Amino acid sequence: MKFKEKFACLSDRKVSSFIYLQVFFNAMITVLNIFVNTFLLKAYGNTSNEVMIYNLIMAITQPIAMCTSFWISRRVGCLLTQRIGFGFYAVALILMCIFGEEIAFLYPLLGILISFGAGYYYAVYSVQMLHYTNDGNRDAISGVLTVLGTVISLILPIVSGYITTVFNEFIGYKIVFGLVALIAFAALFTTTKLPKIDTCQNNIRFLNVFKTICNNKNGRNIMLVNLLDNFRSFTIGMYITVVVYRIVSNELLVSTIAGVGSILTIIGAVLYGVVVSKKNRAKSILIATIFTLAACCSMWFKLNIWTLVAFFLMYSFFNIFIAMPVLNTHFHIIEQDMGMKDAGAEVHTVREFFVGLGRILGILMIFIAPQNDFGTALVFAVLVASALISAILIKRINSTSGKTF
């Protein structure tokens, strides 16, 4: 397929509006994923476990949020449900913006609000991805989404890191969370430009969808792949921020490293959108995992800021070649093999239980691992290596796609 033909879908208004929404949302969660963690580390001290408990609360709560979100979407519609999700984000951001350090002791509440915002957003996102895109253009759109989202995410963390470093105490954090609140409102406004999706108001039952997926071999396999992918990606993204901040205790340096990683993600996303297709998704995961595992080797010799940065930069480049094949294979199985396009919210809720379990297992592994340099390096190696299982499962899925089990 020629380059121009592959990206012709971008001229579609619903696709472009969907991309704008994703850009705002990705920029918002990029800042939150970094600075809520450093905010809690600064408030409680670098050796505290509150940041881990905060992430554990979110991993547990988000599937619950998904269950309520598809119930609500059937009554008020998909887009209004998504807007309610942005409302949860806005409440958490406004609380942090106004009260600063004083709100840190309510980190369980912050975790619940943010996880409900994510749950309500992603339940509708899955429906939008199935209805605004198709399997023929999904890899190209995924590449564009990543590039545009990462460009903004490249700028915001560095600016946010500068603000939190220059201003005394927690004033900088108040400013940063205020800026993110504005981005959330921009994303909320973008939802008004999206076409209505009526399928959220169907009569499909969640338990029936859950049973159908679990009784299908490819359905079970893709859910296990989702579990492994979030066991890896969520835990690495959270833990690398914590480990780096514990070493340097400087928000600007943490965000600068994240910014450099974003540049490599852009490069990787461009290459992904051009070279990866349905046929070579499993090979994409395998090659990316091997290179990322090689980057882990330096941490076995000595764990310091330089070996951590080297690993993170390699991971930033290759992560797109693991995450996108997983996501796009998920949509292909649900949409074409299982014919569940109109049950997108319920399907994504089923997925969220496996996603949450993967994240919980990742956080528990951090608690269980030896609390030293060896333990930290071991955690990263295990997380990366788990993608090899995903590659095997996706290869099996592709070889049997279209068959009935």
Side-chain angles (χ1 to χ4, degrees), residues 8-22 79 127-134 137 141 145 190-197 335 341:
C9 58
L10 301 181
S11 60
D12 189 328
R13 183 176 179 180
K14 66 182 180 183
V15 171
S16 60
S17 296
F18 179 57
I19 289 175
Y20 290 142
L21 174 63
Q22 286 298 296
L79 293 179
V127 180
Q128 292 169 328
M129 179 65 85
L130 288 169
H131 284 268
Y132 299 158
T133 72
N134 57 62
N137 61 27
I141 292 174
L145 281 172
T190 304
T191 63
T192 64
K193 305 298 181 181
L194 291 168
K196 183 180 179 181
I197 301 174
E335 181 180 27
K341 181 177 180 178

PDB file of all heavy atoms in Angstrom, residues 8-22 79 127-134 137 141 145 190-197 335 341:
ATOM      1  N   ALA A   8      -4.801   8.266   3.702  1.00  0.00           N
ATOM      2  CA  ALA A   8      -5.904   9.031   3.116  1.00  0.00           C
ATOM      3  C   ALA A   8      -7.063   9.185   4.091  1.00  0.00           C
ATOM      4  O   ALA A   8      -7.848  10.127   4.002  1.00  0.00           O
ATOM      5  CB  ALA A   8      -6.384   8.347   1.839  1.00  0.00           C
ATOM      6  N   CYS A   9      -7.164   8.273   5.058  1.00  0.00           N
ATOM      7  CA  CYS A   9      -8.261   8.296   6.030  1.00  0.00           C
ATOM      8  C   CYS A   9      -8.242   9.546   6.903  1.00  0.00           C
ATOM      9  O   CYS A   9      -9.253   9.899   7.513  1.00  0.00           O
ATOM     10  CB  CYS A   9      -8.199   7.058   6.914  1.00  0.00           C
ATOM     11  SG  CYS A   9      -6.641   6.884   7.819  1.00  0.00           S
ATOM     12  N   LEU A  10      -7.105  10.254   6.953  1.00  0.00           N
ATOM     13  CA  LEU A  10      -6.997  11.421   7.824  1.00  0.00           C
ATOM     14  C   LEU A  10      -7.869  12.579   7.357  1.00  0.00           C
ATOM     15  O   LEU A  10      -8.125  13.513   8.114  1.00  0.00           O
ATOM     16  CB  LEU A  10      -5.535  11.878   7.915  1.00  0.00           C
ATOM     17  CG  LEU A  10      -4.543  10.840   8.456  1.00  0.00           C
ATOM     18  CD1 LEU A  10      -3.145  11.424   8.515  1.00  0.00           C
ATOM     19  CD2 LEU A  10      -4.973  10.341   9.825  1.00  0.00           C
ATOM     20  N   SER A  11      -8.323  12.537   6.100  1.00  0.00           N
ATOM     21  CA  SER A  11      -9.185  13.598   5.593  1.00  0.00           C
ATOM     22  C   SER A  11     -10.624  13.459   6.068  1.00  0.00           C
ATOM     23  O   SER A  11     -11.432  14.379   5.930  1.00  0.00           O
ATOM     24  CB  SER A  11      -9.159  13.607   4.057  1.00  0.00           C
ATOM     25  OG  SER A  11      -9.616  12.371   3.545  1.00  0.00           O
ATOM     26  N   ASP A  12     -10.955  12.306   6.638  1.00  0.00           N
ATOM     27  CA  ASP A  12     -12.294  12.070   7.190  1.00  0.00           C
ATOM     28  C   ASP A  12     -12.457  12.912   8.451  1.00  0.00           C
ATOM     29  O   ASP A  12     -11.653  12.834   9.375  1.00  0.00           O
ATOM     30  CB  ASP A  12     -12.453  10.586   7.500  1.00  0.00           C
ATOM     31  CG  ASP A  12     -13.879  10.217   7.881  1.00  0.00           C
ATOM     32  OD1 ASP A  12     -14.569  11.061   8.482  1.00  0.00           O
ATOM     33  OD2 ASP A  12     -14.292   9.085   7.588  1.00  0.00           O
ATOM     34  N   ARG A  13     -13.541  13.696   8.524  1.00  0.00           N
ATOM     35  CA  ARG A  13     -13.737  14.628   9.633  1.00  0.00           C
ATOM     36  C   ARG A  13     -13.866  13.912  10.976  1.00  0.00           C
ATOM     37  O   ARG A  13     -13.322  14.363  11.986  1.00  0.00           O
ATOM     38  CB  ARG A  13     -14.982  15.479   9.385  1.00  0.00           C
ATOM     39  CG  ARG A  13     -15.215  16.529  10.466  1.00  0.00           C
ATOM     40  CD  ARG A  13     -16.402  17.404  10.131  1.00  0.00           C
ATOM     41  NE  ARG A  13     -16.636  18.382  11.189  1.00  0.00           N
ATOM     42  CZ  ARG A  13     -17.618  19.282  11.170  1.00  0.00           C
ATOM     43  NH1 ARG A  13     -18.450  19.315  10.136  1.00  0.00           N
ATOM     44  NH2 ARG A  13     -17.778  20.125  12.165  1.00  0.00           N
ATOM     45  N   LYS A  14     -14.580  12.788  10.995  1.00  0.00           N
ATOM     46  CA  LYS A  14     -14.749  12.083  12.263  1.00  0.00           C
ATOM     47  C   LYS A  14     -13.408  11.513  12.744  1.00  0.00           C
ATOM     48  O   LYS A  14     -13.136  11.482  13.944  1.00  0.00           O
ATOM     49  CB  LYS A  14     -15.784  10.975  12.136  1.00  0.00           C
ATOM     50  CG  LYS A  14     -15.399   9.830  11.204  1.00  0.00           C
ATOM     51  CD  LYS A  14     -16.509   8.805  11.118  1.00  0.00           C
ATOM     52  CE  LYS A  14     -16.132   7.651  10.181  1.00  0.00           C
ATOM     53  NZ  LYS A  14     -17.226   6.678  10.025  1.00  0.00           N
ATOM     54  N   VAL A  15     -12.558  11.081  11.800  1.00  0.00           N
ATOM     55  CA  VAL A  15     -11.243  10.565  12.170  1.00  0.00           C
ATOM     56  C   VAL A  15     -10.369  11.684  12.713  1.00  0.00           C
ATOM     57  O   VAL A  15      -9.700  11.531  13.741  1.00  0.00           O
ATOM     58  CB  VAL A  15     -10.563   9.879  10.967  1.00  0.00           C
ATOM     59  CG1 VAL A  15      -9.101   9.540  11.286  1.00  0.00           C
ATOM     60  CG2 VAL A  15     -11.312   8.622  10.572  1.00  0.00           C
ATOM     61  N   SER A  16     -10.384  12.843  12.046  1.00  0.00           N
ATOM     62  CA  SER A  16      -9.550  13.960  12.494  1.00  0.00           C
ATOM     63  C   SER A  16     -10.001  14.473  13.862  1.00  0.00           C
ATOM     64  O   SER A  16      -9.170  14.790  14.721  1.00  0.00           O
ATOM     65  CB  SER A  16      -9.588  15.101  11.462  1.00  0.00           C
ATOM     66  OG  SER A  16     -10.908  15.587  11.280  1.00  0.00           O
ATOM     67  N   SER A  17     -11.324  14.536  14.104  1.00  0.00           N
ATOM     68  CA  SER A  17     -11.814  14.967  15.417  1.00  0.00           C
ATOM     69  C   SER A  17     -11.417  13.966  16.497  1.00  0.00           C
ATOM     70  O   SER A  17     -11.040  14.355  17.612  1.00  0.00           O
ATOM     71  CB  SER A  17     -13.342  15.117  15.385  1.00  0.00           C
ATOM     72  OG  SER A  17     -13.735  16.136  14.487  1.00  0.00           O
ATOM     73  N   PHE A  18     -11.479  12.692  16.164  1.00  0.00           N
ATOM     74  CA  PHE A  18     -11.073  11.648  17.087  1.00  0.00           C
ATOM     75  C   PHE A  18      -9.582  11.773  17.425  1.00  0.00           C
ATOM     76  O   PHE A  18      -9.173  11.604  18.574  1.00  0.00           O
ATOM     77  CB  PHE A  18     -11.373  10.284  16.476  1.00  0.00           C
ATOM     78  CG  PHE A  18     -10.971   9.116  17.329  1.00  0.00           C
ATOM     79  CD1 PHE A  18     -11.454   8.972  18.616  1.00  0.00           C
ATOM     80  CD2 PHE A  18     -10.115   8.146  16.827  1.00  0.00           C
ATOM     81  CE1 PHE A  18     -11.097   7.882  19.398  1.00  0.00           C
ATOM     82  CE2 PHE A  18      -9.745   7.055  17.601  1.00  0.00           C
ATOM     83  CZ  PHE A  18     -10.243   6.928  18.886  1.00  0.00           C
ATOM     84  N   ILE A  19      -8.788  12.103  16.444  1.00  0.00           N
ATOM     85  CA  ILE A  19      -7.350  12.288  16.654  1.00  0.00           C
ATOM     86  C   ILE A  19      -7.090  13.487  17.560  1.00  0.00           C
ATOM     87  O   ILE A  19      -6.258  13.424  18.475  1.00  0.00           O
ATOM     88  CB  ILE A  19      -6.618  12.450  15.306  1.00  0.00           C
ATOM     89  CG1 ILE A  19      -6.594  11.100  14.568  1.00  0.00           C
ATOM     90  CG2 ILE A  19      -5.188  12.963  15.507  1.00  0.00           C
ATOM     91  CD1 ILE A  19      -6.009  11.180  13.177  1.00  0.00           C
ATOM     92  N   TYR A  20      -7.800  14.598  17.339  1.00  0.00           N
ATOM     93  CA  TYR A  20      -7.644  15.776  18.202  1.00  0.00           C
ATOM     94  C   TYR A  20      -7.949  15.420  19.660  1.00  0.00           C
ATOM     95  O   TYR A  20      -7.230  15.824  20.590  1.00  0.00           O
ATOM     96  CB  TYR A  20      -8.579  16.898  17.754  1.00  0.00           C
ATOM     97  CG  TYR A  20      -8.199  17.536  16.443  1.00  0.00           C
ATOM     98  CD1 TYR A  20      -9.181  17.927  15.531  1.00  0.00           C
ATOM     99  CD2 TYR A  20      -6.869  17.741  16.104  1.00  0.00           C
ATOM    100  CE1 TYR A  20      -8.847  18.503  14.322  1.00  0.00           C
ATOM    101  CE2 TYR A  20      -6.529  18.323  14.897  1.00  0.00           C
ATOM    102  CZ  TYR A  20      -7.520  18.702  13.996  1.00  0.00           C
ATOM    103  OH  TYR A  20      -7.172  19.271  12.799  1.00  0.00           O
ATOM    104  N   LEU A  21      -9.017  14.658  19.871  1.00  0.00           N
ATOM    105  CA  LEU A  21      -9.381  14.253  21.227  1.00  0.00           C
ATOM    106  C   LEU A  21      -8.261  13.444  21.863  1.00  0.00           C
ATOM    107  O   LEU A  21      -7.884  13.668  23.020  1.00  0.00           O
ATOM    108  CB  LEU A  21     -10.674  13.428  21.193  1.00  0.00           C
ATOM    109  CG  LEU A  21     -11.123  12.811  22.526  1.00  0.00           C
ATOM    110  CD1 LEU A  21     -11.434  13.899  23.542  1.00  0.00           C
ATOM    111  CD2 LEU A  21     -12.331  11.903  22.308  1.00  0.00           C
ATOM    112  N   GLN A  22      -7.712  12.520  21.098  1.00  0.00           N
ATOM    113  CA  GLN A  22      -6.629  11.689  21.614  1.00  0.00           C
ATOM    114  C   GLN A  22      -5.373  12.491  21.938  1.00  0.00           C
ATOM    115  O   GLN A  22      -4.671  12.214  22.915  1.00  0.00           O
ATOM    116  CB  GLN A  22      -6.282  10.603  20.595  1.00  0.00           C
ATOM    117  CG  GLN A  22      -7.288   9.485  20.517  1.00  0.00           C
ATOM    118  CD  GLN A  22      -7.393   8.746  21.840  1.00  0.00           C
ATOM    119  OE1 GLN A  22      -6.448   8.134  22.301  1.00  0.00           O
ATOM    120  NE2 GLN A  22      -8.552   8.816  22.455  1.00  0.00           N
ATOM    121  N   LEU A  79     -20.968   9.701  24.360  1.00  0.00           N
ATOM    122  CA  LEU A  79     -20.203  10.937  24.486  1.00  0.00           C
ATOM    123  C   LEU A  79     -20.448  11.627  25.821  1.00  0.00           C
ATOM    124  O   LEU A  79     -19.510  12.186  26.415  1.00  0.00           O
ATOM    125  CB  LEU A  79     -20.537  11.878  23.327  1.00  0.00           C
ATOM    126  CG  LEU A  79     -20.070  11.397  21.952  1.00  0.00           C
ATOM    127  CD1 LEU A  79     -20.473  12.388  20.863  1.00  0.00           C
ATOM    128  CD2 LEU A  79     -18.562  11.184  21.933  1.00  0.00           C
ATOM    129  N   VAL A 127     -15.261   2.034  21.853  1.00  0.00           N
ATOM    130  CA  VAL A 127     -16.370   2.124  20.904  1.00  0.00           C
ATOM    131  C   VAL A 127     -16.005   3.053  19.757  1.00  0.00           C
ATOM    132  O   VAL A 127     -16.255   2.764  18.582  1.00  0.00           O
ATOM    133  CB  VAL A 127     -17.643   2.619  21.612  1.00  0.00           C
ATOM    134  CG1 VAL A 127     -18.806   2.728  20.625  1.00  0.00           C
ATOM    135  CG2 VAL A 127     -18.015   1.686  22.749  1.00  0.00           C
ATOM    136  N   GLN A 128     -15.385   4.184  20.074  1.00  0.00           N
ATOM    137  CA  GLN A 128     -14.987   5.141  19.050  1.00  0.00           C
ATOM    138  C   GLN A 128     -13.953   4.545  18.097  1.00  0.00           C
ATOM    139  O   GLN A 128     -14.029   4.747  16.880  1.00  0.00           O
ATOM    140  CB  GLN A 128     -14.416   6.404  19.716  1.00  0.00           C
ATOM    141  CG  GLN A 128     -15.457   7.211  20.466  1.00  0.00           C
ATOM    142  CD  GLN A 128     -14.838   8.296  21.336  1.00  0.00           C
ATOM    143  OE1 GLN A 128     -13.738   8.132  21.859  1.00  0.00           O
ATOM    144  NE2 GLN A 128     -15.542   9.399  21.497  1.00  0.00           N
ATOM    145  N   MET A 129     -12.987   3.809  18.639  1.00  0.00           N
ATOM    146  CA  MET A 129     -11.963   3.207  17.794  1.00  0.00           C
ATOM    147  C   MET A 129     -12.576   2.207  16.815  1.00  0.00           C
ATOM    148  O   MET A 129     -12.182   2.127  15.654  1.00  0.00           O
ATOM    149  CB  MET A 129     -10.904   2.522  18.669  1.00  0.00           C
ATOM    150  CG  MET A 129      -9.788   1.840  17.893  1.00  0.00           C
ATOM    151  SD  MET A 129      -8.756   2.996  16.945  1.00  0.00           S
ATOM    152  CE  MET A 129      -7.580   3.489  18.205  1.00  0.00           C
ATOM    153  N   LEU A 130     -13.571   1.466  17.263  1.00  0.00           N
ATOM    154  CA  LEU A 130     -14.217   0.483  16.396  1.00  0.00           C
ATOM    155  C   LEU A 130     -15.104   1.132  15.340  1.00  0.00           C
ATOM    156  O   LEU A 130     -15.248   0.601  14.239  1.00  0.00           O
ATOM    157  CB  LEU A 130     -15.047  -0.493  17.241  1.00  0.00           C
ATOM    158  CG  LEU A 130     -14.246  -1.500  18.080  1.00  0.00           C
ATOM    159  CD1 LEU A 130     -15.160  -2.222  19.053  1.00  0.00           C
ATOM    160  CD2 LEU A 130     -13.536  -2.499  17.188  1.00  0.00           C
ATOM    161  N   HIS A 131     -15.694   2.294  15.652  1.00  0.00           N
ATOM    162  CA  HIS A 131     -16.653   2.919  14.742  1.00  0.00           C
ATOM    163  C   HIS A 131     -16.041   4.019  13.879  1.00  0.00           C
ATOM    164  O   HIS A 131     -16.563   4.315  12.805  1.00  0.00           O
ATOM    165  CB  HIS A 131     -17.843   3.475  15.534  1.00  0.00           C
ATOM    166  CG  HIS A 131     -18.787   2.414  15.995  1.00  0.00           C
ATOM    167  ND1 HIS A 131     -19.890   2.012  15.272  1.00  0.00           N
ATOM    168  CD2 HIS A 131     -18.787   1.622  17.103  1.00  0.00           C
ATOM    169  CE1 HIS A 131     -20.527   1.052  15.914  1.00  0.00           C
ATOM    170  NE2 HIS A 131     -19.874   0.801  17.034  1.00  0.00           N
ATOM    171  N   TYR A 132     -14.957   4.632  14.332  1.00  0.00           N
ATOM    172  CA  TYR A 132     -14.331   5.696  13.552  1.00  0.00           C
ATOM    173  C   TYR A 132     -13.166   5.184  12.705  1.00  0.00           C
ATOM    174  O   TYR A 132     -12.653   5.905  11.853  1.00  0.00           O
ATOM    175  CB  TYR A 132     -13.820   6.815  14.473  1.00  0.00           C
ATOM    176  CG  TYR A 132     -14.898   7.494  15.292  1.00  0.00           C
ATOM    177  CD1 TYR A 132     -14.572   8.174  16.461  1.00  0.00           C
ATOM    178  CD2 TYR A 132     -16.232   7.463  14.915  1.00  0.00           C
ATOM    179  CE1 TYR A 132     -15.557   8.809  17.229  1.00  0.00           C
ATOM    180  CE2 TYR A 132     -17.214   8.084  15.675  1.00  0.00           C
ATOM    181  CZ  TYR A 132     -16.868   8.752  16.832  1.00  0.00           C
ATOM    182  OH  TYR A 132     -17.839   9.380  17.593  1.00  0.00           O
ATOM    183  N   THR A 133     -12.718   3.946  12.964  1.00  0.00           N
ATOM    184  CA  THR A 133     -11.622   3.362  12.196  1.00  0.00           C
ATOM    185  C   THR A 133     -12.000   1.944  11.790  1.00  0.00           C
ATOM    186  O   THR A 133     -13.031   1.418  12.190  1.00  0.00           O
ATOM    187  CB  THR A 133     -10.317   3.321  13.023  1.00  0.00           C
ATOM    188  OG1 THR A 133     -10.426   2.313  14.040  1.00  0.00           O
ATOM    189  CG2 THR A 133     -10.031   4.653  13.687  1.00  0.00           C
ATOM    190  N   ASN A 134     -11.151   1.325  10.964  1.00  0.00           N
ATOM    191  CA  ASN A 134     -11.335  -0.076  10.598  1.00  0.00           C
ATOM    192  C   ASN A 134      -9.980  -0.757  10.570  1.00  0.00           C
ATOM    193  O   ASN A 134      -8.939  -0.108  10.707  1.00  0.00           O
ATOM    194  CB  ASN A 134     -12.059  -0.206   9.250  1.00  0.00           C
ATOM    195  CG  ASN A 134     -11.321   0.518   8.135  1.00  0.00           C
ATOM    196  OD1 ASN A 134     -10.176   0.192   7.810  1.00  0.00           O
ATOM    197  ND2 ASN A 134     -11.980   1.529   7.547  1.00  0.00           N
ATOM    198  N   ASN A 137      -7.156   0.688   8.208  1.00  0.00           N
ATOM    199  CA  ASN A 137      -6.442   1.950   8.452  1.00  0.00           C
ATOM    200  C   ASN A 137      -6.009   2.134   9.904  1.00  0.00           C
ATOM    201  O   ASN A 137      -5.442   3.149  10.263  1.00  0.00           O
ATOM    202  CB  ASN A 137      -7.309   3.154   8.031  1.00  0.00           C
ATOM    203  CG  ASN A 137      -8.616   3.253   8.805  1.00  0.00           C
ATOM    204  OD1 ASN A 137      -8.739   2.795   9.939  1.00  0.00           O
ATOM    205  ND2 ASN A 137      -9.625   3.865   8.185  1.00  0.00           N
ATOM    206  N   ILE A 141      -3.562   5.028  11.580  1.00  0.00           N
ATOM    207  CA  ILE A 141      -4.124   5.992  12.523  1.00  0.00           C
ATOM    208  C   ILE A 141      -3.421   5.893  13.873  1.00  0.00           C
ATOM    209  O   ILE A 141      -3.146   6.909  14.525  1.00  0.00           O
ATOM    210  CB  ILE A 141      -5.646   5.780  12.677  1.00  0.00           C
ATOM    211  CG1 ILE A 141      -6.352   6.165  11.365  1.00  0.00           C
ATOM    212  CG2 ILE A 141      -6.199   6.599  13.830  1.00  0.00           C
ATOM    213  CD1 ILE A 141      -7.830   5.857  11.352  1.00  0.00           C
ATOM    214  N   LEU A 145      -1.703   8.963  15.706  1.00  0.00           N
ATOM    215  CA  LEU A 145      -2.109   9.321  17.066  1.00  0.00           C
ATOM    216  C   LEU A 145      -0.909   9.401  18.000  1.00  0.00           C
ATOM    217  O   LEU A 145      -0.789  10.336  18.800  1.00  0.00           O
ATOM    218  CB  LEU A 145      -3.100   8.292  17.604  1.00  0.00           C
ATOM    219  CG  LEU A 145      -4.554   8.413  17.138  1.00  0.00           C
ATOM    220  CD1 LEU A 145      -5.352   7.203  17.603  1.00  0.00           C
ATOM    221  CD2 LEU A 145      -5.185   9.694  17.652  1.00  0.00           C
ATOM    222  N   THR A 190     -13.712  19.096  22.590  1.00  0.00           N
ATOM    223  CA  THR A 190     -13.521  18.352  21.346  1.00  0.00           C
ATOM    224  C   THR A 190     -14.569  17.267  21.180  1.00  0.00           C
ATOM    225  O   THR A 190     -14.959  16.931  20.057  1.00  0.00           O
ATOM    226  CB  THR A 190     -12.111  17.726  21.314  1.00  0.00           C
ATOM    227  OG1 THR A 190     -11.132  18.753  21.495  1.00  0.00           O
ATOM    228  CG2 THR A 190     -11.850  17.027  19.985  1.00  0.00           C
ATOM    229  N   THR A 191     -15.073  16.708  22.283  1.00  0.00           N
ATOM    230  CA  THR A 191     -16.092  15.667  22.174  1.00  0.00           C
ATOM    231  C   THR A 191     -17.379  16.186  21.545  1.00  0.00           C
ATOM    232  O   THR A 191     -18.164  15.401  21.007  1.00  0.00           O
ATOM    233  CB  THR A 191     -16.417  15.066  23.556  1.00  0.00           C
ATOM    234  OG1 THR A 191     -16.968  16.082  24.413  1.00  0.00           O
ATOM    235  CG2 THR A 191     -15.176  14.472  24.204  1.00  0.00           C
ATOM    236  N   THR A 192     -17.595  17.496  21.589  1.00  0.00           N
ATOM    237  CA  THR A 192     -18.795  18.064  20.974  1.00  0.00           C
ATOM    238  C   THR A 192     -18.714  18.043  19.452  1.00  0.00           C
ATOM    239  O   THR A 192     -19.722  18.259  18.777  1.00  0.00           O
ATOM    240  CB  THR A 192     -19.023  19.513  21.447  1.00  0.00           C
ATOM    241  OG1 THR A 192     -17.932  20.346  21.004  1.00  0.00           O
ATOM    242  CG2 THR A 192     -19.104  19.575  22.968  1.00  0.00           C
ATOM    243  N   LYS A 193     -17.521  17.809  18.899  1.00  0.00           N
ATOM    244  CA  LYS A 193     -17.325  17.779  17.456  1.00  0.00           C
ATOM    245  C   LYS A 193     -17.416  16.365  16.880  1.00  0.00           C
ATOM    246  O   LYS A 193     -17.306  16.183  15.664  1.00  0.00           O
ATOM    247  CB  LYS A 193     -15.957  18.367  17.103  1.00  0.00           C
ATOM    248  CG  LYS A 193     -15.727  19.775  17.643  1.00  0.00           C
ATOM    249  CD  LYS A 193     -16.717  20.771  17.059  1.00  0.00           C
ATOM    250  CE  LYS A 193     -16.455  22.185  17.590  1.00  0.00           C
ATOM    251  NZ  LYS A 193     -17.438  23.163  17.039  1.00  0.00           N
ATOM    252  N   LEU A 194     -17.589  15.376  17.752  1.00  0.00           N
ATOM    253  CA  LEU A 194     -17.625  13.982  17.304  1.00  0.00           C
ATOM    254  C   LEU A 194     -19.055  13.546  16.991  1.00  0.00           C
ATOM    255  O   LEU A 194     -20.003  13.954  17.665  1.00  0.00           O
ATOM    256  CB  LEU A 194     -17.048  13.069  18.391  1.00  0.00           C
ATOM    257  CG  LEU A 194     -15.539  13.209  18.642  1.00  0.00           C
ATOM    258  CD1 LEU A 194     -15.152  12.492  19.923  1.00  0.00           C
ATOM    259  CD2 LEU A 194     -14.747  12.654  17.468  1.00  0.00           C
ATOM    260  N   PRO A 195     -19.235  12.703  15.965  1.00  0.00           N
ATOM    261  CA  PRO A 195     -20.581  12.213  15.640  1.00  0.00           C
ATOM    262  C   PRO A 195     -21.106  11.272  16.711  1.00  0.00           C
ATOM    263  O   PRO A 195     -20.353  10.541  17.354  1.00  0.00           O
ATOM    264  CB  PRO A 195     -20.367  11.475  14.308  1.00  0.00           C
ATOM    265  CG  PRO A 195     -18.923  11.123  14.283  1.00  0.00           C
ATOM    266  CD  PRO A 195     -18.212  12.206  15.022  1.00  0.00           C
ATOM    267  N   LYS A 196     -22.380  11.273  16.885  1.00  0.00           N
ATOM    268  CA  LYS A 196     -23.031  10.452  17.910  1.00  0.00           C
ATOM    269  C   LYS A 196     -22.935   8.976  17.557  1.00  0.00           C
ATOM    270  O   LYS A 196     -22.998   8.591  16.391  1.00  0.00           O
ATOM    271  CB  LYS A 196     -24.502  10.868  18.034  1.00  0.00           C
ATOM    272  CG  LYS A 196     -25.269  10.129  19.120  1.00  0.00           C
ATOM    273  CD  LYS A 196     -26.714  10.607  19.160  1.00  0.00           C
ATOM    274  CE  LYS A 196     -27.502   9.851  20.230  1.00  0.00           C
ATOM    275  NZ  LYS A 196     -28.926  10.284  20.261  1.00  0.00           N
ATOM    276  N   ILE A 197     -22.752   8.156  18.576  1.00  0.00           N
ATOM    277  CA  ILE A 197     -22.742   6.706  18.403  1.00  0.00           C
ATOM    278  C   ILE A 197     -23.924   6.141  19.166  1.00  0.00           C
ATOM    279  O   ILE A 197     -24.016   6.269  20.387  1.00  0.00           O
ATOM    280  CB  ILE A 197     -21.431   6.085  18.938  1.00  0.00           C
ATOM    281  CG1 ILE A 197     -20.229   6.677  18.201  1.00  0.00           C
ATOM    282  CG2 ILE A 197     -21.451   4.572  18.786  1.00  0.00           C
ATOM    283  CD1 ILE A 197     -18.897   6.219  18.764  1.00  0.00           C
ATOM    284  N   GLU A 335     -13.781  -7.126  16.621  1.00  0.00           N
ATOM    285  CA  GLU A 335     -14.625  -6.575  15.557  1.00  0.00           C
ATOM    286  C   GLU A 335     -14.962  -7.612  14.494  1.00  0.00           C
ATOM    287  O   GLU A 335     -16.120  -7.736  14.083  1.00  0.00           O
ATOM    288  CB  GLU A 335     -13.912  -5.386  14.907  1.00  0.00           C
ATOM    289  CG  GLU A 335     -14.704  -4.711  13.795  1.00  0.00           C
ATOM    290  CD  GLU A 335     -13.943  -3.548  13.189  1.00  0.00           C
ATOM    291  OE1 GLU A 335     -12.696  -3.561  13.233  1.00  0.00           O
ATOM    292  OE2 GLU A 335     -14.587  -2.628  12.666  1.00  0.00           O
ATOM    293  N   LYS A 341     -18.638  -5.693  17.506  1.00  0.00           N
ATOM    294  CA  LYS A 341     -18.455  -4.257  17.295  1.00  0.00           C
ATOM    295  C   LYS A 341     -19.468  -3.438  18.076  1.00  0.00           C
ATOM    296  O   LYS A 341     -19.150  -2.380  18.619  1.00  0.00           O
ATOM    297  CB  LYS A 341     -18.562  -3.936  15.799  1.00  0.00           C
ATOM    298  CG  LYS A 341     -18.369  -2.475  15.454  1.00  0.00           C
ATOM    299  CD  LYS A 341     -18.418  -2.255  13.953  1.00  0.00           C
ATOM    300  CE  LYS A 341     -18.220  -0.774  13.617  1.00  0.00           C
ATOM    301  NZ  LYS A 341     -18.227  -0.543  12.152  1.00  0.00           N
TER     302      LYS A 341
END
